[in-house]
Amino acid sequence: MSDREQWQQLDEEQYRVTRCSGTERPFTGKYWDHKGDGVYLCVCCQAPLFDSRHKYDSGSGWPSFWQPAAGADIAELSDTSHGMVRTEVRCGHCQAHLGHVFPDGPPPTGLRYCINSASLDFTPRGD
């Protein structure tokens, strides 16, 4: 499936977030308080990105992880939009915008990958 075909399968919010570097409103995404056991995938290309074992409640209103899944292809880029300096997180496979990573997370990494639900799919462990 081509990139264009993948993008055409996205709903309006998924496209806005992943292809236009949008951000969903806090406490509105389907995964911000999700408790399933499994793996979060890129909504565009289905690459595995984050493991539920690394998810935690940051209080931010977005799904938060203290590290990517083992072997995940995550790209981090400097983001100076909106008058801030942040680190943007993208799927390294298809370059979909996922969210941002901040240095205020829990041990053992001290990182908070703050990810938009609209950029994710979920598959339960063992499926």
Side-chain angles (χ1 to χ4, degrees):
M1 180 181 306
S2 72
D3 285 347
R4 186 172 183 84
E5 289 171 321
Q6 289 173 358
W7 300 342
Q8 289 174 337
Q9 293 184 17
L10 303 176
D11 67 30
E12 186 176 319
E13 178 74 344
Q14 291 168 328
Y15 186 87
R16 186 183 70 78
V17 168
T18 61
R19 295 298 165 211
C20 303
S21 298
T23 301
E24 63 198 8
R25 290 187 341 265
F27 305 103
T28 62
K30 64 183 175 180
Y31 297 125
W32 78 269
D33 65 348
H34 184 250
K35 305 281 193 263
D37 180 35
V39 178
Y40 294 88
L41 311 170
C42 176
V43 74
C44 296
C45 71
Q46 299 300 296
L49 300 172
F50 296 95
D51 191 300
S52 64
R53 294 176 184 143
H54 306 142
K55 189 173 187 286
Y56 73 101
D57 183 2
S58 68
S60 68
W62 288 279
S64 298
F65 304 87
W66 49 267
Q67 74 178 29
D73 189 2
I74 299 286
E76 296 183 7
L77 302 102
S78 178
D79 177 2
T80 57
S81 64
H82 307 293
M84 298 179 271
V85 177
R86 302 176 291 176
T87 302
E88 179 186 9
V89 179
R90 290 186 173 263
C91 173
H93 183 260
C94 73
Q95 296 305 304
H97 172 77
L98 305 174
H100 292 85
V101 61
F102 302 96
D104 61 0
T109 65
L111 298 174
R112 173 174 53 102
Y113 286 84
C114 188
I115 307 300
N116 291 285
S117 290
S119 68
L120 300 174
D121 269 339
F122 178 78
T123 187
R125 201 169 310 284
D127 285 3

